[in-house]
Amino acid sequence: MKRRGLFFLQLGFTLFVCAFLIVPMILSIMAGLTVNYFVGIESGLTLRWVMEVWNGYRDTIFLSIGLALACLAATLVLGIPAAYVLAKRQNALTRAIEELLVMPVAVPGLATALALIVTYGSLSGFRTSWAFILVGHVLFTLPFMVRSVLAVLMAIDLKTLEEGAASLGAGFWERFRDIVLPNCRQGILAGSLMVVTLSMGEFNMTWLLHTPFTKTLPVGLADAYASLRLEIGSAYTLVFFIMIVPLLLAMQAFAKPRPAKFVAEETE
């Protein structure tokens, strides 16, 4: 009886925490769908504010999607080989490099953005382009790709697999393509979804790096709340949720470990 009471107490606390986190988001979404937020749902439901966001801010949405995809491509090209080298050569130097890769995550985004401006701010064409924001996003998200792939590579006997392939005549690129990439696929998928999600939602660094012509979705969201009526800002939040929530769900689904039997079958 006591254990049953403890269970319901824990369940009630969990539901309270979930409500504490979810209810504000629901109210924010509803504000973007009501005719007048201050009157409430009695004023009626409408998609007018969503359409105003789309008509006035769709450039920020497309820019965020483009930046996220470009950031993903850059982190794949840089992160997978880096994780491979770190997994292959475990020594003091590679451990130090691994720790340095995490620095952009530990340092506040505003500090990283300021460092980029001080270093490259004199390059006017580069400073005012979306590529400048991309550099910041890559610096911020690269550790997540490297760590995701590295965790998978460290969990398998990579040395034995490569030696077996080499004994059958496989060259370096064949081993990398046919052995390394398939075995770290789970880490690549998890890292990719994390990179895209973080890039689309990154605000602190982007706020300092952006120009009036390179506003991303989070920066536009902040501007909407600061300068427009609440309903439009809330509709902007709804658009952001529609884009980001499926990515978060997919990231959790792909991050789940696969059954050992399935992994063994793939490596045979």
Side-chain angles (χ1 to χ4, degrees), residues 46-212:
T46 181
L47 292 176
R48 171 189 170 188
W49 312 120
V50 176
M51 294 307 300
E52 286 198 23
V53 168
W54 177 254
N55 292 330
Y57 290 92
R58 62 175 173 266
D59 290 343
T60 68
I61 297 172
F62 291 135
L63 177 59
S64 289
I65 294 174
L67 276 172
L69 294 177
C71 184
L72 173 60
T75 53
L76 286 172
V77 171
L78 298 173
I80 296 175
Y84 174 69
V85 172
L86 293 174
K88 284 274 289 184
R89 306 192 180 279
Q90 287 290 306
N91 52 48
L93 177 60
T94 57
R95 286 193 292 270
I97 293 174
E98 186 178 347
E99 294 303 320
L100 287 174
L101 281 172
V102 187
M103 286 292 291
V105 179
V107 175
L110 291 176
T112 304
L114 183 59
L116 289 173
I117 292 173
V118 169
T119 306
Y120 303 110
S122 59
L123 305 175
S124 58
F126 179 56
R127 171 67 183 92
T128 56
S129 70
W130 61 270
F132 192 56
I133 300 176
L134 175 62
V135 171
H137 283 206
V138 171
L139 285 174
F140 177 65
T141 58
L142 183 61
F144 295 95
M145 177 62 75
V146 173
R147 284 299 181 102
S148 297
V149 177
L150 182 60
V152 176
L153 290 177
M154 294 296 292
I156 63 176
D157 191 353
L158 183 61
K159 181 179 179 181
T160 301
L161 291 173
E162 285 199 290
E163 287 178 351
S167 67
L168 297 174
F172 171 77
W173 290 112
E174 290 176 312
R175 298 198 304 271
F176 187 78
R177 182 192 64 202
D178 299 330
I179 300 297
V180 177
L181 292 181
N183 278 282
C184 66
R185 180 178 61 184
Q186 185 182 0
I188 294 173
L189 287 172
S192 298
L193 289 164
M194 193 174 297
V195 166
V196 172
T197 304
L198 291 172
S199 177
M200 290 186 64
E202 211 295 316
F203 172 75
N204 291 332
M205 184 187 301
T206 310
W207 181 78
L208 200 58
L209 296 178
H210 88 283
T211 68

